Amino acid sequence: MGLVGLLLMILDPFHIVRNYVIKPIATFGLATVEEYKVRKEKSVNTTKNVFLKLFIVVLVGFSVVWASIFLYLYFYYSYMPSVLHVKDVHLNLRQCHKVESDCEPYPTANVALTNHQRFLMVGQPYKIILNLEMPESEHNGKIGMFTVCGTVKDHGYEEVAKSCRMTMLHYKSNLLKTILTFVFAPLLIFGYREEKQMVSVELFSNFLDDSNHPATNLDIIIHAKDIQLYSAQLHVVANFTGLRYLMFNWPVLSAVIGITTNLFFILIVCILSWYHWDDTEWISDIRERYQQIVQGVSKVSALEETKTLKPIKEGVTSSKDWLVDEE
């Protein structure tokens, strides 16, 4: 440093170069470096703030979207009942005793609709259909029309509703039977097709379950002694109307509308909450009111203490006066 100072004294005895060249350059360089450091720190802080805000926005948006989806799913599964209930029907011939004069050995069955739980939704209309799988035999053709009755009962085996319907096999002429036999002969031979019909009997078209007497059992009677059947099934189909009809037939559209509606209201609540918590004046008002209440309570307690102390002081002074009088 001594050699550098000596050279500067020799080369620049009047401090012209140092004051007007070196010093401004050094000052400008240091200022540039400091400004770069400040900008770098600001950029780092702003980047952190941007990423933090972006993370918060993504998290809140993700939560809001999933909350709206969950609300719609909860509403859907609580509002929409099961569309179809299928129960196997096992028919048996009624056992008649000699005492019962009106009893006839008709095929009957008791179908348990539920196991101590509600089977049908209250207020929802249902169709109760009995499907009979019958062979296209000459005997069934000779029976012609027959009556099928269904009686809905509650858990106490009390009658809730009853319905009777008439049905029969679909008629086919001998010529049509011959043509169908020749056409489907290979399938009939190898067992891929059978000569049978599925006869559907709609017992109830608009059945409504009662909350006081929920349906638990269904008694079925076929008024035909010698009817031939392969199997029987009971179908309970929900007859949707109104909003349920739209939600069942257009599930995607209803889901979009429902989720969008939930999202709209949740966003309104979030925005109002944000503005409410962002404005801290109400917090200061609450604090001031709380302090006023505390001060008022302390004043009241102080007044009560003074009131309780006054009689004691008066008693002490009176006792002193009594002693003075005695003396």
Side-chain angles (χ1 to χ4, degrees):
M1 292 297 293
L3 182 60
V4 174
L6 181 60
L7 289 174
L8 289 174
M9 288 294 294
I10 294 170
L11 297 174
D12 187 21
F14 299 103
H15 301 280
I16 295 173
V17 177
R18 281 177 284 180
N19 291 332
Y20 295 100
V21 177
I22 297 174
K23 190 174 181 180
I25 292 172
T27 305
F28 178 75
L30 292 173
T32 304
V33 171
E34 291 294 331
E35 186 178 359
Y36 175 74
K37 289 181 179 179
V38 171
R39 286 182 180 178
K40 189 175 181 180
E41 290 178 357
K42 286 183 178 179
S43 63
V44 171
N45 293 328
T46 53
T47 305
K48 289 182 180 178
N49 293 330
V50 168
F51 276 108
L52 181 61
K53 290 180 180 179
L54 182 62
F55 176 74
I56 293 172
V57 169
V58 171
L59 182 62
V60 172
F62 186 78
S63 302
V64 167
V65 170
W66 275 106
S68 60
I69 293 173
F70 174 76
L71 288 175
Y72 177 76
L73 291 176
Y74 178 77
F75 172 74
Y76 183 86
Y77 285 105
S78 62
Y79 184 70
M80 291 291 292
S82 298
V83 181
L84 177 64
H85 301 277
V86 180
K87 297 286 184 180
D88 292 328
V89 179
H90 304 286
L91 293 164
N92 292 312
L93 292 176
R94 181 191 294 179
Q95 295 180 358
C96 295
H97 301 284
K98 295 181 179 179
V99 180
E100 299 176 357
S101 58
D102 298 334
C103 179
E104 294 187 8
Y106 291 139
T108 61
N110 181 269
V111 182
L113 299 178
T114 179
N115 295 323
H116 304 288
Q117 294 179 357
R118 183 170 293 279
F119 181 70
L120 304 177
M121 182 176 286
V122 178
Q124 170 63 44
Y126 289 90
K127 290 182 180 180
I128 300 178
I129 302 170
L130 180 65
N131 293 324
L132 301 174
E133 190 178 11
M134 301 174 60
E136 294 179 339
S137 61
E138 294 182 0
H139 182 75
N140 283 337
K142 290 180 181 179
I143 289 175
M145 298 194 70
F146 56 92
T147 304
V148 180
C149 292
T151 305
V152 180
K153 296 182 179 180
D154 60 0
H155 56 85
Y157 292 97
E158 295 182 2
E159 183 177 329
V160 177
K162 185 176 181 180
S163 176
C164 293
R165 297 286 188 270
M166 296 187 69
T167 186
M168 64 176 294
L169 282 174
H170 295 283
Y171 174 74
K172 291 181 181 179
S173 63
N174 294 327
L175 178 60
L176 180 60
K177 289 180 181 179
T178 305
I179 294 172
L180 291 175
T181 302
F182 277 109
V183 171
F184 295 105
L187 298 177
L188 293 171
I189 292 171
F190 291 103
Y192 291 103
R193 186 180 176 87
E194 295 181 5
E195 293 180 330
K196 63 181 180 180
Q197 289 186 17
M198 184 66 70
V199 179
S200 296
V201 184
E202 187 174 332
L203 296 175
F204 296 92
S205 302
N206 194 16
F207 178 76
L208 293 173
D209 196 15
D210 189 2
S211 59
N212 297 323
H213 300 280
T216 58
N217 293 277
L218 178 64
D219 291 337
I220 297 173
I221 301 176
I222 300 176
H223 292 272
K225 295 181 182 179
D226 300 328
I227 192 170
Q228 296 175 349
L229 299 170
Y230 284 138
S231 63
Q233 275 190 343
L234 185 70
H235 289 190
V236 182
V237 185
N239 188 14
F240 292 138
T241 56
L243 182 59
R244 289 193 177 102
Y245 179 82
L246 296 175
M247 293 176 68
F248 178 74
N249 290 282
W250 290 279
V252 177
L253 180 62
S254 61
V256 170
I257 294 173
I259 293 171
T260 306
T261 305
N262 293 333
L263 187 63
F264 174 73
F265 285 107
I266 292 173
L267 285 176
I268 288 177
V269 172
C270 291
I271 291 170
L272 293 177
S273 301
W274 175 265
Y275 280 108
H276 182 68
W277 285 100
D278 188 47
D279 186 10
T280 57
E281 292 182 358
W282 64 278
I283 299 176
S284 60
D285 293 338
I286 290 174
R287 288 177 180 174
E288 290 178 358
R289 291 178 183 177
Y290 177 74
Q291 290 178 359
Q292 291 176 1
I293 292 170
V294 171
Q295 291 177 0
V297 171
S298 61
K299 288 180 180 179
V300 170
S301 60
L303 290 173
E304 289 180 353
E305 288 179 357
T306 54
K307 288 180 180 179
T308 53
L309 290 173
K310 280 182 180 180
I312 297 171
K313 290 181 179 179
E314 290 177 357
V316 172
T317 53
S318 61
S319 61
K320 288 181 179 179
D321 295 337
W322 179 70
L323 290 172
V324 170
D325 293 337
E326 283 186 351
E327 290 178 356

